[in-house]
Amino acid sequence: ADAGAAVLDLTGRHVVVSAGGTREYLDPVRFLGNRSSGRQGYALARTAAARGAEVTLVAANVTLPDPAGVKVVRVETTEQMQAEVMAACQSADAVVMAAAPADFRPTSFADTKIKKTDDGSAPAIELEQTPDILAGLARDRPHPGLVVVGFAAETGDDSGTVMDHARAKLARKGCDLLVVNDVSGGQVFGADDNEAVVLGADGSTTHVARGSKGALAHVIWDRVTPLLPER
Ligand code: CTP
Ligand code: CA
């Protein structure tokens, strides 16, 4: 399925990939979450392993089977994902944040299920921001050689084009590469294929035509390998 996977150019490298969507609990049964399927992250993990890498896949609420030869660490919340990604990155050469971490979480957690009342009212839920894993990693790199890659789904609007927003996000996050999906026309969640632009911190762009998530994953590793420190 993955043409070109015969190249073992990630042999001896350790890469970390995050996948899926985190959940932030209000009470033992309810959460704020999102619709990320985890498929792009799983494709990145599978293709890196096929190219010879040691792979740690930090997966949040994904129902896909574990890719062969990949260490899968399961998490639920953004804070748990941050802890596992940071721990794995201490010994990693590259990290790709393909996950969709929840941006907000309830400021408090109810230990017991929140019950309905008879007056028809509903509780107000106060939210706070979760930690930004990617920005934190790029800012406080566990070691200077770590290559840091983010994802962004953007729409063009009155304040700028998709690429305007992407360049601003790359600069804000401080990452080395940003994989940009234009979602103006519809949705990528759960889609079989993906069209993207890989944007470099130096302004370089690689356009990736609509194709499988495995094909996009290979292009991403092709952009990562020249940034890895020499051995
Ligand atoms: N990301 C992260 N931690 C968060 C939120 C996002 O590491 N708490 C990562 C995502 O995994 C992705 C990148 O940041 O690689 C961009 O995510 P995105 O949702 O596009 O950016 P945000 O900064 O959350 O901005 P917004 O959702 O407002 O566009
Ligand atoms: Ca977000």
Side-chain angles (χ1 to χ4, degrees):
D2 296 317
V7 194
L8 289 169
D9 57 355
L10 290 173
T11 303
R13 304 292 192 176
H14 176 206
V15 303
V16 178
V17 177
S18 69
T22 62
R23 292 177 179 174
E24 304 297 338
Y25 281 85
L26 279 83
D27 73 13
V29 297
R30 301 188 180 94
F31 57 83
L32 295 177
N34 65 71
R35 294 170 54 196
S36 176
S37 69
R39 289 162 76 178
Q40 185 61 64
Y42 273 53
L44 280 155
R46 185 167 35 76
T47 51
R51 289 165 73 147
E54 175 195 341
V55 183
T56 304
L57 174 59
V58 181
N61 309 296
V62 179
T63 54
L64 301 167
D66 290 358
V70 167
K71 181 185 177 190
V72 181
V73 180
R74 294 195 176 272
V75 298
E76 283 206 82
T77 68
T78 298
E79 201 165 271
Q80 287 166 0
M81 175 169 279
Q82 181 181 45
E84 295 297 343
V85 167
M86 293 301 284
C89 279
Q90 301 302 315
S91 65
D93 298 290
V95 54
V96 183
M97 284 296 302
D103 291 329
F104 310 106
R105 67 185 167 207
T107 52
S108 64
F109 172 77
D111 291 319
T112 54
K113 188 182 169 190
I114 300 165
K115 301 300 286 180
K116 280 201 291 193
T117 50
D118 290 335
D119 61 3
S121 70
I125 300 165
E126 194 189 338
L127 302 176
E128 64 189 7
Q129 282 195 19
T130 57
D132 191 318
I133 304 167
L134 180 68
L137 258 177
R139 190 178 52 239
D140 307 313
R141 301 200 187 210
H143 61 89
L146 180 71
V147 178
V148 180
V149 184
F151 267 74
E154 301 289 344
T155 57
D157 58 27
D158 292 345
S159 68
T161 64
V162 166
M163 289 309 293
D164 290 337
H165 290 305
R167 283 188 199 93
K169 186 166 282 182
L170 183 145
R172 200 163 61 237
K173 300 274 187 178
C175 53
D176 301 307
L177 296 171
L178 189 71
V179 184
V180 185
N181 288 304
D182 180 345
V183 292
S184 308
Q187 50 130 25
V188 279
F189 289 110
D192 278 322
D193 53 11
N194 233 348
E195 182 184 353
V197 175
V198 185
L199 175 65
D202 59 1
S204 61
T205 52
T206 305
H207 290 259
V208 188
R210 182 158 293 282
S212 70
K213 295 192 173 188
L216 174 57
H218 273 298
V219 176
I220 294 166
W221 295 125
D222 289 345
R223 286 291 312 258
V224 166
T225 47
L227 303 179
L228 294 171
E230 278 189 42
R231 292 174 295 190

